[in-house]
């Protein structure tokens, strides 16, 4: 059975369980919470060793073939362009679709959120490089170390033959093990989906947030199902762009119900290679880098949510200068969320409210009940960017092999 079918069935079973289980019994709820946490840990278990050995080997091969610079240019360009375009789209959609006001919250802010950028920058180069293997959230230090090792091997190919062979072998081994975990993770999706559905049921009862949820759903469908495929077809002359979307099914399901970009990364890497035919040397670079920096979906959700908050507090027209400011800050914050694989959208919103000031420091509390939904749509869009962006880079550099749809996993 294909992986995406397993994930779809698991999501259906999890949703049904949320309606059928006696959630008023505390032991049942505790069991679901435990199994959900266990499933997330299971899904992430092999990600760090896979990325380390695959990234180092990829940098070595790309540098030897003279394609490292081109790859870097494509990745940077796609990260910047998609983030800018998605923020613009989110702002435009929110301004065109007038949502009803959300009742003002009386909850008080307990503490202020911060990205702590200096600490994050220091984390890229910890006191000892072995520390990068201990953090499963912030992957950038791991990628930097792997990049240095790969570049070091490429500087002296004769001396590094044994190291390269070792890394190549370990990369293949960890990919095989990750493939097993991705396949078995379908069982974990039952509990993750169940937890999400329980929270979503409670959210829908009030009906207050339904219009915003529908707007975010429309933005996601527009981007993943229409905009990205059309760009591939008409701008980059891809004959069958929807096969990328088809290959992204399992990754998008994982991203949406978990809200965890790192969790969906392992699933994405497997499908990039075995469904879309991208070579390891390209998928091992593009996918993790996009997961850290190409967070345009998070920026879109942040800008959309903030404009909804402003309109809920005041019916006045938002000045053009403030709209530009909202878009720019949302765009900027998205590049510093690499260490926040879960909840990045809501954190970004709290920071945006803090920057805006004028009594709006705690305005993000208006959307606190739907923080997990904001994360779902943000992560799903970011994962879509990861898949389409990686495929584009691989095809432009001629590092992909065509696979028939019936052979997709």
């Amino acid at each position: 059975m294909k992986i995406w079918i397993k994930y779809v069935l698991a999501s259906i079973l999890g949703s049904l369980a949320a309606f059928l289980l006696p959630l008023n019994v505390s032991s049942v709820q505790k069991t679901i919470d435990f199994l959900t946490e266990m499933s997330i840990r299971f899904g992430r278990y092999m990600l760090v060793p896979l990325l380390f050995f695959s990234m180092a080997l990829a940098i070595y091969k790309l540098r030897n073939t003279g394609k490292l610079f081109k790859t870097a240019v494509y990745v940077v360009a796609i990260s910047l362009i998609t983030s800018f375009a998605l923020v613009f789209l989110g702002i435009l959609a929110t301004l065109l679709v007038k949502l009803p006001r959300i009742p003002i919250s009386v909850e008080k802010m307990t503490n202020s959120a911060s990205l702590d950028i200096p600490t994050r920058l220091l984390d890229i180069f910890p006191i000892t490089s072995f520390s990068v293997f201990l953090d499963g959230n912030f992957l950038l230090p791991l990628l930097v170390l792997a990049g240095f090792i790969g570049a070091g091997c490429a500087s002296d190919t004769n001396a590094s033959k044994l190291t390269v062979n070792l890394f190549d072998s370990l990369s293949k081994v960890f990919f095989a093990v990750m493939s097993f975990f991705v396949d078995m993770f379908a069982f974990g999706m039952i509990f993750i989906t169940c937890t999400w559905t329980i929270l979503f049921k409670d959210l829908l009862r009030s009906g207050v947030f339904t219009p915003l949820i529908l707007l975010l759903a429309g933005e996601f469908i527009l981007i993943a199902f229409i905009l990205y495929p059309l760009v591939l077809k008409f701008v980059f002359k891809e004959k069958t762009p929807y096969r990328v979307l088809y290959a992204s099914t399992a990754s998008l399901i994982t991203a949406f119900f978990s809200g965890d970009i790192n969790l969906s990364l392992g699933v994405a890497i497997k499908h990039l290679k075995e469904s879309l035919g991208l070579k390891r040397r390209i998928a091992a670079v593009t996918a993790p880098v996009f997961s850290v920096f190409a967070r345009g979906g998070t920026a879109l959700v942040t800008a959309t949510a903030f404009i909804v908050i402003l309109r809920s507090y005041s019916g006045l027209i938002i000045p053009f200068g403030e709209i530009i400011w909202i878009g720019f800050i949302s765009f900027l914050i998205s590049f510093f969320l690499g260490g926040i694989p879960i909840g990045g959208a809501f954190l970004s919103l709290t920071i945006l409210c803090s920057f805006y000031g004028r009594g709006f420091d705690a305005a993000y509390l208006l959307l606190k009940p739907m923080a997990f939904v904001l994360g779902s749509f943000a992560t799903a869009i970011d994962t879509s960017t990861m898949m389409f962006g990686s495929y584009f880079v691989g095809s432009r550099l001629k590092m992909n092999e065509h696979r028939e749809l019936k052979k997709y996993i």
Side-chain angles (χ1 to χ4, degrees):
M1 185 183 293
K2 293 184 181 295
I3 291 176
W4 73 268
I5 296 177
K6 293 180 182 180
Y7 280 40
V8 169
L9 292 176
S11 300
I12 294 172
L13 289 174
S15 298
L16 290 174
F19 288 93
L20 299 176
L21 291 175
L23 300 175
N24 55 327
V25 180
S26 60
S27 60
V28 173
Q29 185 62 62
K30 288 180 180 178
T31 301
I32 294 173
D33 292 341
F34 171 79
L35 291 174
T36 299
E37 179 64 24
M38 179 65 74
S39 299
I40 292 173
R41 294 184 179 215
F42 181 87
R44 280 196 188 188
Y45 189 64
M46 295 306 301
L47 185 61
V48 167
L50 172 66
L51 290 181
F52 176 70
F53 293 108
S54 298
M55 182 74 165
L57 185 67
I59 296 297
Y60 167 79
K61 290 185 175 181
L62 288 173
R63 188 174 177 187
N64 271 354
T65 55
K67 293 184 177 180
L68 181 59
F69 180 74
K70 278 189 177 180
T71 302
V73 170
Y74 281 133
V75 169
V76 171
I78 290 172
S79 299
L80 292 173
I81 293 171
T82 55
S83 296
F84 176 81
L86 291 179
V87 168
F88 175 79
L89 178 64
I91 290 175
L92 183 63
T94 312
L95 292 177
L96 292 177
V97 180
K98 264 206 164 183
L99 301 181
R101 293 185 183 183
I102 297 174
I104 305 302
S105 172
V106 295
E107 186 178 353
K108 293 184 179 180
M109 180 175 62
T110 54
N111 51 15
S112 58
S114 172
L115 284 175
D116 196 6
I117 294 175
T119 300
R120 284 297 173 191
L121 292 175
L122 289 174
D123 286 342
I124 297 176
F125 298 99
I127 297 297
T128 170
S129 58
F130 288 100
S131 300
V132 303
F133 298 100
L134 303 179
D135 189 352
N137 290 324
F138 193 27
L139 298 177
L140 184 57
L142 178 80
L143 302 180
V144 170
L145 175 61
F148 278 125
I149 292 175
C153 289
S155 65
D156 191 341
T157 55
N158 290 325
S160 61
K161 281 182 180 179
L162 292 177
T163 303
V164 171
N165 289 336
L166 175 63
F167 273 57
D168 188 22
S169 177
L170 288 172
S171 174
K172 290 176 181 177
V173 169
F174 283 117
F175 184 85
V177 178
M178 172 60 85
S179 297
F180 168 79
F181 274 75
V182 169
D183 203 31
M184 292 296 102
F185 182 67
F187 293 103
M189 280 303 303
I190 296 175
F191 308 111
I192 292 173
T193 307
C194 181
T195 298
W196 189 92
T197 306
I198 292 170
L199 295 173
F200 193 65
K201 277 196 312 174
D202 296 336
L203 185 68
L204 285 183
R205 284 197 184 100
S206 66
V208 171
F209 303 102
T210 304
L212 177 54
I213 293 172
L214 292 175
L215 175 61
L216 293 173
E219 290 176 340
F220 167 66
I221 292 171
L222 176 63
I223 293 163
F225 289 78
I226 300 175
L227 182 60
Y228 280 166
L230 287 179
V231 169
L232 274 185
K233 183 174 182 62
F234 293 106
V235 179
F236 303 113
K237 310 303 179 184
E238 172 64 39
K239 293 180 181 179
T240 54
Y242 280 97
R243 66 193 187 92
V244 182
L245 182 61
Y246 176 58
S248 306
T249 303
S251 304
L252 291 176
I253 291 173
T254 304
F256 184 81
F257 287 112
S258 70
D260 187 338
I261 190 70
N262 287 358
L263 189 60
S264 67
L265 176 57
V267 184
I269 289 175
K270 179 171 175 61
H271 282 80
L272 285 169
K273 182 180 185 296
E274 298 195 2
S275 292
L276 294 176
L278 264 67
K279 293 184 178 180
R280 281 186 302 154
R281 74 187 70 174
I282 197 68
V285 173
T286 58
V289 174
F290 281 142
S291 74
V292 173
F293 292 113
R295 304 287 288 273
T298 301
L300 175 147
V301 171
T302 301
T304 296
F306 188 74
I307 291 175
V308 169
I309 288 174
L310 284 182
R311 283 180 165 174
S312 296
Y313 277 89
S314 173
L316 299 176
I317 297 175
I318 304 173
F320 180 74
E322 290 190 9
I323 293 173
I324 297 297
W325 182 87
I326 293 168
F328 176 73
I329 298 299
S330 300
F331 170 83
L332 196 61
I333 292 174
S334 69
F335 291 99
F336 294 96
L337 296 174
I340 317 292
I342 306 176
F346 191 67
L347 175 64
S348 178
L349 180 62
T350 63
I351 293 170
L352 185 59
C353 289
S354 176
F355 285 172
Y356 187 77
R358 309 178 201 179
F360 281 85
D361 302 67
Y364 65 90
L365 294 172
L366 205 63
L367 299 182
K368 185 179 179 180
M370 65 171 295
F372 73 99
V373 175
L374 298 179
S376 291
F377 285 109
T379 308
I381 296 173
D382 290 339
T383 300
S384 182
T385 301
M386 182 202 307
M387 294 295 292
F388 276 91
S390 296
Y391 177 77
F392 165 74
V393 177
S395 61
R396 294 293 289 181
L397 295 175
K398 302 187 185 304
M399 290 189 182
N400 64 318
E401 300 173 358
H402 181 74
R403 302 275 175 89
E404 296 180 8
L405 285 177
K406 62 182 181 181
K407 294 183 179 180
Y408 280 26
I409 59 174

